[in-house]
């Protein structure tokens, strides 16, 4: 029937808002508590040419389910009172779900939408499934036809982001390499033992980070993408950043990880090891994603410890005194404020002072020195 009319009636009954997409016959019902419900008119679609966006027409539930990427996504459950809970399975999705098989519905599926290849690999590794023989053959055929070069940077990058956002993306990246798909990110991108080692190190660093920083939001795919860029020459990195739709922040972080990392590693590798205040100064303007990448790519336990200490401890350290306190000590506002507060922070980080009383005593000495100068 008419999904849009149903969505409007449902929104009215639930005192919700509705957002309608007439062209695709779909709508989103937005409930007051933030819950979202998608409503879609049963529809079929066709592609005017490979990689094009589909043209949509109203149709039956059977044809609607035929549009899905894989058989495991063609299962439907009846929700109306008559026959509630009945499973509709036209294409063997339940069987493939039980057997752990990723299978496309027809031979043109990957030609119509090559991004399904990345999705197949993502599901394969997320669920521990395997690809059907025919599906694997169709993937190899799509690679030979070079269909992925026709995809827009936006569509391809969206699938790469999703794949690298998986909990354990290393095996999925290895699968991309095995099927000859890494070159569609950049022609010079290839699998190597070094890349494998770095990706494994990032997985371990991500596990550690997630355990400690549940409240911090990061882009989990970004450290892994930094690892892919590490495997490319400088010029290829610049070309990749131009081709794909990165935000300015993402682009800057990838560039930092690629072009600034050596200098940072050199500073952190000094002997004797940098003091906590020195480590803080070296890392203070780095975002979390390149720091996770740094922990994953370095073989140095000393550097790992320094980055870990920065993220867990040093970054939270602050002097207890403020500019107002320095004014109360009789010091005139000026550049010396920043210098004194910086010295107090260094002393805190290095453990030279451990209490507010000791900090005040040091501040008085520094203020006295500043006044005499």
């Amino acid at each position: 029937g008419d999904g849009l009319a149903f969505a409007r009636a449902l929104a009215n009954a639930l005192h919700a808002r509705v957002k309608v997409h007439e062209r695709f016959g779909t709508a989103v019902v937005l409930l007051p508590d933030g819950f979202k419900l998608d409503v879609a008119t049963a529809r079929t679609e066709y592609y005017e040419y490979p990689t094009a966006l589909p043209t949509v027409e109203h149709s039956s539930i059977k044809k609607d389910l035929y549009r899905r990427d894989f058989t495991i996504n063609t299962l439907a459950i009846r929700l109306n009172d008559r026959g509630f809970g009945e499973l509709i399975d036209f294409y063997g999705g339940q069987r493939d779900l039980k057997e752990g098989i990723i299978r496309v519905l027809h031979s043109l599926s990957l030609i119509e939408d090559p991004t399904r290849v990345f999705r197949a690999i993502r599901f394969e590794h997320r669920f521990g499934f395997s690809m059907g023989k025919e599906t694997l053959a169709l993937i190899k055929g799509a690679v030979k036809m070079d269909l992925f070069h026709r995809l827009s940077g936006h569509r391809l990058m969206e699938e790469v982001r999703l794949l690298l956002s998986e909990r354990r993306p290393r095996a999925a990246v290895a699968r991309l390499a095995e099927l000859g798909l890494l070159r569609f990110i950049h022609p010079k991108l290839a699998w190597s033992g070094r890349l494998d080692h770095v990706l494994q190190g990032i997985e371990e660093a991500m596990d550690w980070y997630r355990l400690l920083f549940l409240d911090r939001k990061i882009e989990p795919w970004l450290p892994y993408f930094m690892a892919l860029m590490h495997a490319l020459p400088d010029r290829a990195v610049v070309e990749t950043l131009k081709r794909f739709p990165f935000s300015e922040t993402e682009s800057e972080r990838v560039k930092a990880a690629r072009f600034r990392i050596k200098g940072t590693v050199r500073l952190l590798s000094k002997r004797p090891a940098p003091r906590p205040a020195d480590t803080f100064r070296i890392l203070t303007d780095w975002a979390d994603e390149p720091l996770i990448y740094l922990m994953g790519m370095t073989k140095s336990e000393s550097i790992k410890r320094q980055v870990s200490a920065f993220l867990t401890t040093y970054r939270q350290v602050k002097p207890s005194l403020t500019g107002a306190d320095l004014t109360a000590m009789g010091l005139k506002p000026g550049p010396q404020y920043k210098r004194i507060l910086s010295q107090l922070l260094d002393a805190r980080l290095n453990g030279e002072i451990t209490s507010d009383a000791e900090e005040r005593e040091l501040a008085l000495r520094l203020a006295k020195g500043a006044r005499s100068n």
Side-chain angles (χ1 to χ4, degrees):
D2 189 338
L4 302 186
F6 176 83
R8 291 186 179 104
L10 182 64
N12 186 55
L14 298 176
H15 306 291
R17 292 186 297 121
V18 63
K19 190 175 181 180
V20 171
H21 303 284
E22 295 276 359
R23 179 185 168 191
F24 298 108
T26 64
V28 182
V29 178
L30 307 158
L31 275 68
D33 64 358
F35 188 83
K36 294 180 181 180
L37 187 68
D38 289 330
V39 177
T41 307
R43 57 208 196 277
T44 189
E45 61 190 25
Y46 61 89
Y47 296 79
E48 293 185 10
Y49 55 88
T51 75
L53 291 174
T55 300
V56 177
E57 295 177 349
H58 290 191
S59 187
S60 65
I61 184 69
K62 186 173 184 178
K63 287 186 177 179
D64 185 273
L65 294 172
Y66 193 64
R67 298 166 46 246
R68 301 293 180 266
D69 47 10
F70 312 114
T71 57
I72 58 172
N73 285 333
T74 62
L75 299 172
I77 293 177
R78 202 181 283 271
L79 295 181
N80 43 321
D81 289 342
R82 190 176 70 254
F84 179 85
E86 177 190 341
L87 177 70
I88 298 171
D89 181 11
F90 293 114
Y91 305 109
Q94 191 175 25
R95 176 200 64 219
D96 287 346
L97 199 57
K98 286 178 179 176
E99 295 179 1
I101 301 292
I102 306 287
R103 192 191 313 277
V104 295
L105 274 75
H106 55 87
S107 60
L108 294 178
S109 177
L110 303 181
I111 293 175
E112 290 174 346
D113 186 0
T115 61
R116 287 171 173 166
V117 173
F118 290 85
R119 230 169 300 150
I121 293 170
R122 183 153 48 93
F123 291 162
E124 183 183 42
H125 289 87
R126 182 194 296 177
F127 302 123
F129 285 10
S130 59
M131 291 190 208
K133 287 182 180 178
E134 304 89 348
T135 300
L136 200 54
L138 289 170
I139 288 175
K140 291 176 180 177
V143 172
K144 284 183 181 177
M145 291 172 69
D146 261 4
L147 291 177
F148 303 91
H149 283 313
R150 301 186 193 178
L151 288 171
S152 68
H154 176 80
R155 290 185 71 198
L156 182 56
M157 192 62 218
E158 186 59 30
E159 290 301 325
V160 171
R161 284 176 200 254
L162 289 169
L163 187 143
L164 295 180
S165 295
E166 292 289 314
R167 191 83 183 190
R168 292 277 185 279
R170 179 176 66 99
V173 175
R175 185 67 151 153
L176 288 177
E178 179 189 340
L179 294 171
L181 288 159
L182 282 182
R183 64 188 175 91
F184 295 108
I185 297 173
H186 192 279
K188 292 188 176 179
L189 186 58
W191 185 256
S192 67
R194 173 62 179 156
L195 178 57
D196 183 30
H197 179 78
V198 173
L199 291 172
Q200 187 172 1
I202 293 173
E203 284 187 348
E204 293 168 2
M206 282 294 297
D207 284 343
W208 170 84
Y209 185 91
R210 286 188 179 107
L211 196 63
L212 288 176
F213 302 104
L214 296 174
D215 59 332
R216 289 182 71 86
K217 288 187 177 181
I218 64 163
E219 297 290 347
W221 62 274
L222 205 46
Y224 296 105
F225 191 81
M226 291 169 181
L228 298 183
M229 294 301 95
H230 187 82
L232 288 173
D234 291 353
R235 185 174 177 180
V237 175
V238 174
E239 289 169 350
T240 304
L241 291 174
K242 282 183 179 178
R243 183 187 172 203
F244 294 115
F246 292 96
S247 69
E248 188 176 343
T249 298
E250 291 166 351
S251 182
E252 288 306 314
R253 288 178 184 178
V254 171
K255 286 178 185 174
R258 181 66 179 84
F259 301 113
R260 286 178 50 203
I261 208 85
K262 286 183 181 177
T264 299
V265 167
R266 193 162 51 246
L267 291 172
L268 294 174
S269 301
K270 284 185 175 179
R271 290 286 179 269
R275 302 187 75 190
D278 297 323
T279 299
F280 176 84
R281 302 293 175 201
I282 293 168
L283 299 177
T284 191
D285 64 337
W286 283 80
D288 286 13
E289 292 93 345
L291 289 178
I292 292 168
Y293 163 70
L294 175 56
M295 288 183 75
M297 61 84 70
T298 185
K299 296 177 182 177
S300 166
E301 291 302 320
S302 171
I303 290 178
K304 288 180 182 178
R305 283 195 298 271
Q306 289 180 73
V307 176
S308 170
F310 171 78
L311 286 168
T312 56
T313 306
Y314 303 164
R315 191 163 57 180
Q316 283 74 47
V317 174
K318 288 182 175 61
S320 60
L321 297 180
T322 65
D325 296 313
L326 297 182
T327 302
M329 291 176 188
L331 194 65
K332 291 182 179 179
Q336 63 267 35
Y337 270 36
K338 184 176 180 181
R339 186 167 59 251
I340 291 172
L341 291 173
S342 178
Q343 288 175 286
L344 293 178
L345 175 59
D346 287 357
R348 280 277 190 184
L349 287 164
N350 292 333
E352 295 161 356
I353 55 174
T354 57
S355 67
D356 290 353
E358 288 177 335
E359 185 178 314
R360 182 168 286 274
E361 185 181 333
L362 175 58
L364 285 168
R365 291 202 305 272
L366 293 171
K368 186 177 179 181
R371 280 195 298 269
S372 64
N373 291 332

